Each structure stands twice: as structure tokens, then as C-alpha cells.
Amino acid sequence: MPLTTTSLLLIGGAAGVALALAALALRRSAHAASESQRVAAILAVARRYALGDLSRPAPDYGDDQLGSVARGMDQAVQELGRRVDSLARDRARMEAILSSMIEGVLVVDEQGRLQLVNDAARRILKLEQDAIDRPYVEAIRHPGIVDNIGRVLAGGDTSALELSVTRDTTRTLVAQVAPVVTAGRGAVLVMHDITELRKADLIRRDFVANVSHELRTPLTAIKGYAEALLDDPDDADARERFVKIIHRQAERMERLVKDLLRLARIEAGQETVEVAPCDITALVRGIAADFEPTAAAKQQTIGFTVAPDAATLQTDAAKLHDIIRNLVENAVNYTPEGGGIDIHATVAGERFQLSVADTGHGIAPDDLGRVFERFYRVDKSRTRPGGTGLGLSIVKHLVQVLEGEVVVENQAAGGALFTISLPLR
Ligand code: ADP
């Protein structure tokens, strides 16, 4: 059948309509496919977020309604993620602070359950690892603390509790409970170890007792002899003797006060260090000469040697002088008649070393570690005339000021050996 113009037109029209329909159908199915892909992509992101992976980049959500909703949700999740992150960082910081604290910290919630226990509290109260969330009355075995927490939870007040909670009774702790008001009511317990404070207090009290004792002895003598003088002012012989005793005792008191002030100054960090080249030979020679008369009276000899590399030292000469002088004075005093004192300066490794050795009786092993303590004397009867019991304590502190060390030992042949070592500047 021949094709007429009309039929051609009809076919063309139908094809056109069909094409248009096909294109429309094609466009619809393409749109449906891309939308379901986008939904799948959004779901994938949601799943990733649900698993805690908030990493970007997010897919291109598109500009339609679905895209806007997805983008909005995405931003909300990202923001929440940032907040959770910052909270986690805060928490980690807080945990780091709490676990590095020497004070024990423990928090109980309104229901009386343990919410937070730092390492120190766990150690002090010997709490089990699973103590969190347990009632404090079950977890804590110290009745005083349990009482105080109960009182605070009930809205009452408590005062600080002094206790020794560990099996180590030498340690003293102070426990304080205070209310916490956050979402509900709770209690926080803080425990401080005040053992060192107590020790310092004991040392201070001992020190005051020692000073009082040391001052009272010469004071009693001065008072007694002054009264004797007043009772019998005409006895010329006694007068001279008594006045000499009074003078000697007053000097002793003066020395004690001077030593105490020196020690206080050093301990308060008020001694300035003036470093300059110091002629060690001249310094040692001068000290040996100072003690020569005392030593000669006891038939003692004082010898010294200074190694060539130790002849000069960058240090505070006045302080080094006081250190050596104290050591030599002790050596002369505690060495019996006919003995010898030997001073030796050298350089060992990176340190300047100076030793003072004597031929006395040395120091009993039990006392070796204690002679540098204030007022510590091996001879308990404290008979050494003129001694304050502070000399070696001053030596130790001065050596520390010069960034050095001082040690004492007994020589194999008998006699004490004090050695100071100072940095070579
Ligand atoms: P003191 O004023 O009593 O000498 P120190 O602090 O200088 O006080 O010395 C403390 C104690 O150490 C002395 O009392 C003495 O018992 C002992 N000591 C110090 N040096 C010597 C030494 N060279 N030999 C034996 N004992 C010593």
C-alpha cells in the first residue's frame, strides 16, 4: 500500500508522541533510580553515624526537599558529634586530674551509690575494682566516713574527720564530706594525707623543746652564779671564777642564737651565693692556722694537701670557709689528745672534693645517718663545751646552697671522714 501524505503525517505524529512518551517514561525511571540511590546513600551515612563514625565527606544530598532534610540531619549529627567529643575530652581531662591527685576523691549520688572514685580514694579505702554503682554503705568499711556521708545525704553538716584508714597506722588522713548539688543531691568525700604535716609539726615542737633546753642550761648557770655573786660579793677569788663562768655561758648562748639565726636564714633561702675564684690552698691554710693553738694544746697535728687541679674553685668562698671550719673544729674537738687531722682537696671526675679525716673514735654506725640533724649529738650527755649541736646541720645546708653534697663515714683505721663534693663551675 502506497503511503499517502496523510498516513505519513499520522505515523510521524504517532512516533513523535511515542518518543515523547518514551522520553517521559525514561526521565521518570531515571529520576526514580537516582532518588532511591540517594535514599540508599543517606541510609548508608546514617548507619555509619550510628556506628559512631562521624567522618566526612557526606554525599551530595541534592537541592530538593529530601536533600534539605538529609543535609539538616547531617549538620545536627555533626554538631552533636562535636559536643560529644568536647565532653569526652573534658571527661578525660577530669579523669587525668582526679587520677593524678594525691587526695582521695569519691562521689556518691542521691541514692547512695558510688558514682566516681579516683585511684587515691580506691587505694586509701581499699575499695574493690567494681565499687562503682555499689551502695557506699557496702563498699566503704570505715564507719566514720559512712556516717558522715549519710549525714550529708540527709542534708546535715559534718566536720572534718581525722583518721587512719589503711593498715599503716603511721599515716594520718583527714576526710571531709560535702554536699554536691547537680541534678539531684549527692555527696563528695575528699581525703588528704596529712602525715608529712604532722611530721613537720612534730619536728617543729622537738625543735622548740631543744632550743628551750639548750638555752635553759647556760641560763641556769648564769642565774646561779650571779646569785652566788650577789650573796657574797666580797669573795674576790670566787668573784673572778664566777664572772668567768657567767661570761663563758653567755658566749655559749650567743653562739647558739647565732647558729639558730644562720640556720633560719639558710632555710628561708636568704643566703645569697657570691661565686668568684676561690684560692683553696689559702683558705685551708688559714683555717688550719686558726685551729693550730687549740690543736697544739691537745698535741694534735693538722695537715693539709691540695691537688694542683683543686687549687682554685669557682664558689662562694665565705660559705666554703664556714663549711670547712665547722668540720675541722669538730675534728679537733672529737679527736683525743695526740691525734691528727688531715684535710685533703682534690678533683674527682666532674666534682671538687674536700675531705676532713681525723684519728678519733669515729661515729657509731647507728649515728652516722643522724649527725646532720639539728641538735643531734652522739654524746647524749652533751658535755662538749661550746657545742651547739647545730654545726653539722649548718654544714649540710650550706653545702646544699652550693649545690653540693656532704657525706660521713668511718675510716677503716678508725676516725671519722667527712667529704664534701661541689660542682666544678
Ligand atoms: P656539736 O656542736 O655537738 O659539735 P655538730 O652538729 O657539729 O654539733 O655535730 C653533731 C655530733 O656529731 C657531735 O655532737 C658529735 O657527737 C658528732 N661528731 C661530729 N664530728 C665528729 C667527728 N669528727 N668525730 C666524731 N664525732 C663527731
Side-chain angles (χ1 to χ4, degrees):
M1 190 178 75
L3 291 172
T4 63
T5 314
T6 319
S7 61
L8 261 173
L9 270 171
L10 271 171
I11 292 169
V17 171
L19 261 171
L21 282 174
L24 202 71
L26 242 151
R27 260 186 68 194
R28 274 232 185 95
S29 72
H31 189 247
S34 78
E35 198 162 280
S36 70
Q37 272 169 9
R38 281 164 61 211
V39 170
I42 293 167
L43 267 174
V45 172
R47 269 194 215 105
R48 189 150 55 80
Y49 285 177
L51 290 173
D53 176 6
L54 301 189
S55 61
R56 304 203 96 164
D60 176 14
Y61 293 120
D63 296 326
D64 57 1
Q65 264 185 328
L66 177 64
S68 315
V69 171
R71 213 172 3 263
M73 298 295 280
D74 191 310
Q75 275 160 7
V77 170
Q78 289 292 332
E79 181 52 34
L80 269 175
R82 271 192 289 277
R83 289 189 190 187
V84 169
D85 246 17
S86 136
L87 278 175
R89 266 201 304 276
D90 282 355
R91 195 187 165 92
R93 209 174 300 139
M94 188 188 80
E95 270 170 10
I97 293 170
L98 281 172
S99 68
S100 62
M101 277 173 74
I102 32 172
E103 284 86 7
V105 179
L106 177 148
V107 177
V108 173
D109 70 7
E110 208 172 5
Q111 279 77 43
R113 291 184 182 277
L114 293 179
Q115 288 304 297
L116 186 149
V117 179
N118 75 346
D119 292 347
R122 207 180 283 281
R123 206 174 45 246
I124 295 169
L125 295 174
K126 297 213 181 309
L127 298 179
E128 315 277 329
Q129 278 305 320
D130 62 354
I132 293 294
D133 276 339
R134 281 182 57 199
Y136 74 94
V137 276
E138 285 175 17
I140 303 173
R141 272 168 246 122
H142 196 282
I145 292 180
V146 170
D147 273 3
N148 275 6
I149 295 177
R151 224 169 291 154
V152 165
L153 286 180
D157 278 335
T158 62
S159 51
L161 202 67
E162 199 163 299
L163 42 102
S164 114
V165 273
T166 48
R167 253 172 245 134
D168 178 5
T169 48
T170 58
R171 304 213 74 79
T172 313
L173 292 131
V174 166
Q176 180 97 51
V177 187
V180 194
V181 186
T182 45
R185 208 182 154 79
V188 60
L189 164 76
V190 180
M191 288 167 290
H192 307 267
D193 189 331
I194 55 160
T195 313
E196 293 308 314
L197 218 71
R198 282 275 180 278
K199 256 191 218 157
D201 197 41
L202 194 70
I203 291 172
R204 187 189 55 79
R205 268 184 281 157
D206 269 5
F207 179 68
V208 172
N210 272 318
V211 171
S212 314
H213 176 84
E214 294 295 330
L215 285 173
R216 204 179 53 201
T217 315
L219 210 57
T220 310
I222 290 171
K223 190 167 170 261
Y225 285 106
E227 278 166 3
L229 274 175
L230 286 171
D231 285 348
D232 190 2
D234 300 329
D235 184 342
D237 272 1
R239 198 166 60 224
E240 194 184 338
R241 214 157 28 88
F242 290 177
V243 168
K244 273 186 180 154
I245 293 172
I246 290 172
H247 184 246
R248 211 172 45 240
Q249 296 299 336
E251 275 184 331
R252 185 175 163 187
M253 282 177 77
E254 191 188 21
R255 254 197 316 275
L256 183 68
V257 172
K258 229 170 76 191
D259 279 359
L260 281 171
L261 287 174
R262 180 96 202 253
L263 210 50
R265 240 191 357 255
I266 306 172
E267 281 185 334
Q270 286 167 353
E271 291 261 344
T272 49
V273 181
E274 281 164 32
V275 177
C278 169
D279 183 341
I280 299 296
T281 316
L283 186 84
V284 172
R285 185 183 289 124
I287 295 169
D290 285 349
F291 285 101
E292 205 48 61
T294 326
K298 289 177 81 177
Q299 288 94 48
Q300 292 172 342
T301 54
I302 304 180
F304 67 89
T305 48
V306 177
D309 53 354
T312 314
L313 179 71
Q314 284 281 346
T315 192
D316 186 318
K319 289 190 177 57
L320 184 57
H321 173 272
D322 294 351
I323 293 166
I324 304 172
R325 198 191 146 85
N326 258 306
L327 294 178
V328 175
E329 185 177 12
N330 276 350
V332 170
N333 278 319
Y334 295 107
T335 301
E337 297 207 346
I341 289 97
D342 190 39
I343 309 164
H344 180 57
T346 187
V347 168
E350 291 293 291
R351 318 274 289 174
F352 167 85
Q353 266 190 5
L354 185 138
S355 57
V356 178
D358 62 53
T359 56
H361 302 301
I363 297 166
D366 283 352
D367 298 310
L368 272 177
R370 302 200 58 190
V371 287
F372 293 103
E373 289 175 20
R374 288 183 288 200
F375 296 114
Y376 192 81
R377 281 156 168 152
V378 177
D379 175 9
K380 299 287 188 302
S381 63
R382 307 181 176 193
T383 47
R384 168 158 119 65
T388 62
L390 295 173
L392 286 180
S393 185
I394 292 176
V395 164
K396 189 178 139 207
H397 281 82
L398 284 177
V399 169
Q400 277 169 358
V401 170
L402 297 183
E403 294 165 29
E405 281 158 24
V406 54
V407 288
V408 57
E409 60 198 292
N410 286 313
Q411 302 167 90
L417 171 67
F418 285 85
T419 307
I420 58 163
S421 67
L422 301 175
L424 290 173
R425 287 174 208 266

